[in-house]
Amino acid sequence: MPAAPPAPVPRPWLGFGLDAVLAILFLLIASVLLVTPLVLVESMGQPGRTSDEIMQAVLPQVTVAAILAMLVAALATWALRGRAIAGELKLASLRPALAWSLVAGVGIQAAVLAIDAGLRAIDAPLSPSNAEPITALNRQWPWLTWLMVVIVGPFAEELLFRHVLLRRFAVAGRALAGLVATSAVFALLHEVGQGADRSLAAWGGILAVYLVMGMGFGVVYLRTGRFWAAFVAHAACNATAMAVAVFPT
């Protein structure tokens, strides 16, 4: 009997590219559908205002809409692409997975604070682009801010970045490549460009922060094999950041 031909080597890069393009497309469509009505209604309410004044007036609502748009994009990408990914990850036991996720979440935020302290020493403090929107949302609806930042946002991002994008690499035996690639996309999607209001060092610092976060959540996912563990780590990280911001020492 002739020997069976060798199994093809999995090549996840094409799938990763298709996943990313599809997710970005869904994100753009959902953002337009959710944000545009808010801006139009506000602009008709008091004509004559500048676009900046209109955006400032609806910034809390736009922030919620942007997070919900990410949720829609993640769910749609998972439904169309993620569920079809063949292969299983090795699952850690529940208690170690929970311990890993909580320790990692708080530890990642501690690393972020350490990076911020180092950047402040060279007069380049972290200035994430989502700081002002989240602050505006927290002033108007504190409870909704916690829900969006600690629950909805982490759920959407972990579903997309870890349970779809990183999973595709992990089941193909390319976990390290996937960890780097998905973390880089995670960072760039949060901070697309430098912007005129911050230095190159500040922009590089915030990119480094999101890269550390993406790799940290990715390690939790790979080590536990569980989506919910990565979600809990992300939620714990964001909750710690919110607590530091709301209850400063």
Side-chain angles (χ1 to χ4, degrees):
M1 178 181 293
V9 177
R11 298 185 179 182
W13 286 102
L14 178 59
F16 167 77
L18 292 174
D19 294 341
V21 169
L22 191 63
I24 292 172
L25 181 62
F26 281 133
L27 180 59
L28 291 174
I29 293 173
S31 297
V32 169
L33 293 177
L34 292 173
V35 172
T36 301
L38 298 173
V39 177
L40 288 177
V41 170
E42 183 65 26
S43 63
M44 290 186 294
Q46 298 181 30
R49 290 179 296 173
T50 66
S51 58
D52 286 343
E53 290 172 335
I54 293 172
M55 286 302 299
Q56 285 297 319
V58 294
L59 191 55
Q61 295 90 331
V62 168
T63 303
V64 174
I67 295 173
L68 291 178
M70 173 57 76
L71 177 62
V72 170
L75 290 172
T77 306
W78 164 250
L80 292 178
R81 300 279 299 171
R83 291 191 303 174
I85 298 175
E88 297 295 331
L89 301 180
K90 183 179 179 181
L91 299 179
S93 301
L94 290 177
R95 287 185 179 179
L98 179 59
W100 248 95
S101 60
L102 291 174
V103 170
V106 176
I108 290 167
Q109 188 54 227
V112 171
L113 293 175
I115 293 174
D116 185 39
L119 289 172
R120 288 181 185 277
I122 60 172
D123 198 27
L126 292 177
S127 56
S129 58
N130 61 4
E132 183 182 358
I134 291 174
T135 300
L137 177 60
N138 191 55
R139 281 197 300 263
Q140 187 157 339
W141 299 304
W143 64 271
L144 186 58
T145 306
W146 283 83
L147 176 64
M148 290 290 115
V149 173
V150 177
I151 303 298
V152 179
F155 178 87
E157 292 181 354
E158 293 312 305
L159 181 63
L160 175 60
F161 287 99
R162 258 56 73 178
H163 207 40
V164 176
L165 299 180
L166 180 54
R167 180 182 177 83
R168 185 174 297 281
F169 283 93
V171 298
R174 302 292 300 277
L176 180 58
L179 184 63
V180 174
T182 57
S183 299
V185 174
F186 180 78
L188 291 172
L189 190 62
H190 278 84
E191 298 293 333
V192 177
Q194 176 185 348
D197 58 339
R198 58 185 171 187
S199 66
L200 183 60
W203 182 56
I206 194 61
L207 282 180
V209 162
Y210 282 120
L211 189 63
V212 167
M213 292 174 67
M215 296 192 76
F217 303 144
V219 168
V220 172
Y221 181 74
L222 293 173
R223 186 175 179 85
T224 65
R226 299 179 182 274
F227 158 69
W228 68 260
F231 161 65
V232 169
H234 199 153
C237 179
N238 285 12
T240 304
M242 286 288 294
V244 170
V246 175
F247 308 110
T249 56

